[in-house]
Structures are given as C-alpha cells and as structure tokens.
Amino acid sequence: MLITARRGLVCSPEDGYDYVPESVRSNPDLAARANSDVGRHATYGALLTLAPIGYAVWMLVRDEVGETPTSVLVAAAVYAAVIGMVILLPFERMKNW
C-alpha cells in the first residue's frame, strides 16, 4: 500500500491511512497528536535515507571500479528495515492511546 503524506490528513482513511484507530480519528486532540507524530517520524525517515544515498553516490563517482561487498548490501537491507520501523512507529503507538 502506498501512503502519500499530506500534512493534517493522517486520520483520513480515504488517503490511505488505514492503520489509525477509530478512537484517534474521533478525538481532535489525539488526531492533532497523530498528525504531529507521523510528520515527525516521516522527517526522521527521510533524514535517515541520506546516509545510504550519500554512500551510493560516492560509489558511483569514485575512480575505482569494483563490486559492492555483500556485507555492505546486508547492512543496507538492515538499515532500510530500521527506516521502515521508524516510519511505522507512530502507527503502533496510536494503538495504545
């Protein structure tokens, strides 16, 4: 499922946010908190993607031609999973509000 982030629309199921509980949607204070948390964690996720992008650019522009080590690929896959967890963390927290 693709989620398009729009500020203030976290509690809108029409925009793909199916993970938000009904109790959060119906309470304006919790909805504002949800919008803030999702926006903050989306920013964190975007910032965390800069490191692998920088490494990929460095690998492309360096003078040496070689293969990427398997350990780097495994680390990138684990790092991508961590970024996914950071982005989905507020949706898991909302279940306990």
Side-chain angles (χ1 to χ4, degrees):
M1 175 170 91
L2 178 66
I3 295 177
T4 304
R6 292 188 183 96
R7 186 179 181 107
L9 295 178
V10 172
C11 294
S12 175
E14 296 86 28
D15 291 319
Y17 293 101
D18 300 331
Y19 302 122
V20 180
E22 189 60 39
S23 60
V24 175
R25 288 185 187 149
S26 61
N27 187 334
D29 293 332
L30 290 179
R33 184 177 168 191
N35 286 323
S36 174
D37 283 357
V38 170
R40 187 177 329 102
H41 281 79
T43 303
Y44 295 159
L47 291 174
L48 287 171
T49 61
L50 295 178
I53 290 172
Y55 183 76
V57 169
W58 176 76
M59 292 287 287
L60 290 172
V61 298
R62 67 186 181 140
D63 293 334
E64 301 172 13
V65 177
E67 297 180 2
T68 306
T70 304
S71 60
V72 171
L73 296 176
V74 169
V78 170
Y79 194 71
V82 168
I83 292 172
M85 285 186 255
V86 166
I87 293 172
L88 291 176
L89 182 63
F91 292 105
E92 291 299 317
R93 286 184 176 168
M94 282 181 223
K95 293 177 184 177
N96 298 324
W97 292 351

